[in-house]
Amino acid sequence: MAIALLLFLSLYNLTNYPVTWFDEGSHLHVPKALVRFGVYADYSSEGFRYDGPIVSVGPTVMLPIAAAFKLFGIGLLQARLVMVLYLLAAIYAFYRLALMLGGRRLAWVATALLVTSRGVSLIEYGRQVLGEVPGLFFMAAGLALWLASWEKAGLRQLMLVGLLMGLSMVTKKQYLLVLMPTLGLAWLANQLYYRAAPQRIFILPGLVAVTCFALWQIYLILLYLSPATASENLEMLRQQSASVALVFSPGLMKENLKYLLSLDVYLGMLAPVLVYGLVISLPRQREGQQWGTLWILVVVNLAWYVVASIGWPRYAFPGLSIASLFVASFFHRLTDGLQIGASNLWRALKGEMSNLHKHALRWATLLWLLVMLARPLLYTMRQIIAPPPNLPVAMAAYLDQHVPRDALIETFEPEMGFLTDHRYHFVPIAILLQAIRHVWLGGPPPSESYDFVQRECPDYVLVGPFAHWIDLYPAEMLAERYRLVVQFEASWPLEYELYALISCP
């Protein structure tokens, strides 16, 4: 039953939920370009772009999708099926990690929490071409192997642990911000407090992981790209860090903390569970130290999310995923190993046992856990069964039927470049970073500095959710030079408008 439900959540209506969007569209450009042109890059009308998606998501995602395109043709279904394989593998690796920590019942509950939680959003992210879930697979597999062997681990096992962690970092850079501080702090805790594990179990995986990540960065930035492009990418990475990863905004800190304490995150249980996690990490034994290492990982990620990040929920994904282990353990201890005890409750209700309050408390706790699982599960199932209108596909179909392939289309919606083979000019990534600063930090609007439409007069302008989000193409400018051809509209942000050129001064 559980496997059937999981397959339904992973596969049903796969191309319609979630509706493809900006991030997924930009990631899909890379495998499409690799198959069509033999180049590992993003693309636009002016040529290939060696920034954006090839830097933000690693070859562990791009190359398997390119292989699927080569074998079965280019399409969203093929790409998302690859991601579903990663999703199922991540769930299995996480289950093995939980099983090693606390046995079968805890593993089932922890995995169910991981799958259903709206704060984690595993199913939503796992059905898209994003880096979070593949990164979780590599991290969970590495953690499971690491903790299973622990102080008895040999050189080969520790190197494999480091390789898996390194692949997680290569897949998505946010895992670098989580795993390297975790390894360093876990080593420090071992030196100063636990004093139980040999130093090699922290140092060797860390060295292998950082070497794996560094080799990919050296190849990508210094060898694969031209020197000029490499320097531009380094500057872009610096700007991106300042825009989304090292923000330090008091207002955002307040909002980020508010989100973590909301009902979307384990029904508001995250704070007490983190306190509980610290308590079970205190014993200076193997079990306590392993829980302590995972607790450090969660705290490192969530502290960065609150204090320094722009506050996108995806940035808390690694920590909230591992936090489900602590939530499951918390309920496991409150209910004596998740024992239902229905017969004892019935006997207590009939007056045959004196500890009615104990059984009532256990059932109330289990009911709370059931609500924590069922509430977000029903929401996700409803979204999968009845998703919003697939407006990107509708617009793509219109373009294929009515717009010549050689016409130049200006847009801020990279998903359209995957769904059709028209000639697009995509907004540069520098404008995206400016848009982020504008929306979250009160910076100047991108429309003040982006004038491609005014200068180049493209044949069409396709205005979608991201362009509407920041008003990139002002209405007065469009009204002066363009006419509205077609509009596909639903509730925000699902809105696409196509404008055709009237005149160019």
Side-chain angles (χ1 to χ4, degrees), residues 70-112:
K70 190 72 173 178
L71 292 173
F72 307 110
I74 296 173
L76 185 60
L77 177 62
Q78 294 89 314
R80 287 191 169 184
L81 283 173
V82 173
M83 301 311 296
V84 166
L85 292 177
Y86 264 126
L87 171 63
L88 297 175
I91 292 171
Y92 178 73
F94 183 87
Y95 173 80
R96 296 298 302 179
L97 172 62
L99 184 65
M100 185 278 301
L101 284 168
R104 191 171 300 276
R105 287 193 178 187
L106 184 142
W108 275 105
V109 173
T111 306

Side-chain angles (χ1 to χ4, degrees), residues 23-320:
D23 279 16
E24 183 178 32
S26 66
H27 298 158
L28 285 166
H29 282 195
V30 179
K32 183 176 180 179
L34 187 57
V35 171
R36 291 187 66 196
F37 311 115
V39 180
Y40 189 87
D42 193 2
Y43 54 84
S44 183
S45 59
E46 75 275 12
F48 296 111
R49 292 179 177 178
Y50 297 92
D51 57 13
I54 72 167
V55 177
S56 62
V57 174
T60 47
V61 173
M62 305 301 192
L63 296 183
I65 293 176
F69 288 171
K70 190 72 173 178
L71 292 173
F72 307 110
I74 296 173
L76 185 60
L77 177 62
Q78 294 89 314
R80 287 191 169 184
L81 283 173
V82 173
M83 301 311 296
V84 166
L85 292 177
Y86 264 126
L87 171 63
L88 297 175
I91 292 171
Y92 178 73
F94 183 87
Y95 173 80
R96 296 298 302 179
L97 172 62
L99 184 65
M100 185 278 301
L101 284 168
R104 191 171 300 276
R105 287 193 178 187
L106 184 142
W108 275 105
V109 173
T111 306
L113 287 164
L114 173 75
V115 170
T116 60
S117 171
R118 292 300 304 165
V120 178
S121 295
L122 181 81
I123 297 299
E124 181 179 353
Y125 297 155
R127 290 166 62 105
Q128 303 177 69
V129 180
L130 302 173
E132 280 76 10
V133 173
L136 176 64
F137 161 67
F138 290 116
M139 183 180 76
L143 289 173
L145 177 62
W146 192 36
L147 300 186
S149 51
W150 205 236
E151 71 275 359
K152 296 180 181 179
L155 178 65
R156 187 174 301 177
Q157 287 175 305
L158 291 176
M159 290 185 69
L160 180 56
V161 169
L163 177 62
L164 289 167
M165 290 183 177
L167 289 174
S168 179
M169 300 172 191
V170 167
T171 300
K172 190 73 177 175
K173 283 190 176 66
Q174 73 188 75
Y175 286 93
L176 173 71
L177 299 176
V178 175
L179 287 172
M180 291 314 299
T182 295
L183 288 168
L185 291 173
W187 170 81
L188 188 62
N190 182 63
Q191 294 297 103
L192 300 179
Y193 181 74
Y194 293 107
R195 299 177 181 176
Q199 293 190 49
R200 71 176 189 277
I201 73 168
F202 304 100
I203 295 175
L204 189 56
L207 289 175
V208 174
V210 75
T211 300
C212 179
F213 177 80
L215 287 175
W216 169 245
Q217 297 305 308
I218 290 171
Y219 172 78
L220 180 65
I221 296 177
L222 300 181
L223 300 179
Y224 178 70
L225 307 179
S226 67
T229 307
S231 63
E232 291 170 1
N233 272 1
L234 289 173
E235 175 59 21
M236 185 272 293
L237 287 174
R238 187 196 66 78
Q239 294 180 17
Q240 186 175 22
S241 297
S243 298
V244 302
L246 298 172
V247 179
F248 303 108
S249 163
L252 287 177
M253 292 179 196
K254 181 179 178 181
E255 291 301 313
N256 297 347
L257 183 60
K258 182 179 177 181
Y259 170 73
L260 291 182
L261 300 179
S262 70
L263 294 179
D264 282 339
V265 181
Y266 300 118
L267 273 184
M269 291 290 293
L270 182 63
V273 163
L274 288 180
V275 174
Y276 163 80
L278 177 60
V279 172
I280 65 173
S281 302
L282 293 178
R284 298 183 180 184
Q285 302 167 352
R286 171 175 173 163
E287 181 181 3
Q289 187 173 14
Q290 291 184 340
W291 279 110
T293 301
L294 295 175
W295 186 84
I296 289 171
L297 187 154
V298 173
V299 170
V300 163
N301 181 211
L302 299 186
W304 167 72
Y305 171 78
V306 170
V307 173
S309 83
I310 199 70
W312 295 334
R314 282 164 55 193
Y315 282 0
F317 177 81
L320 292 181

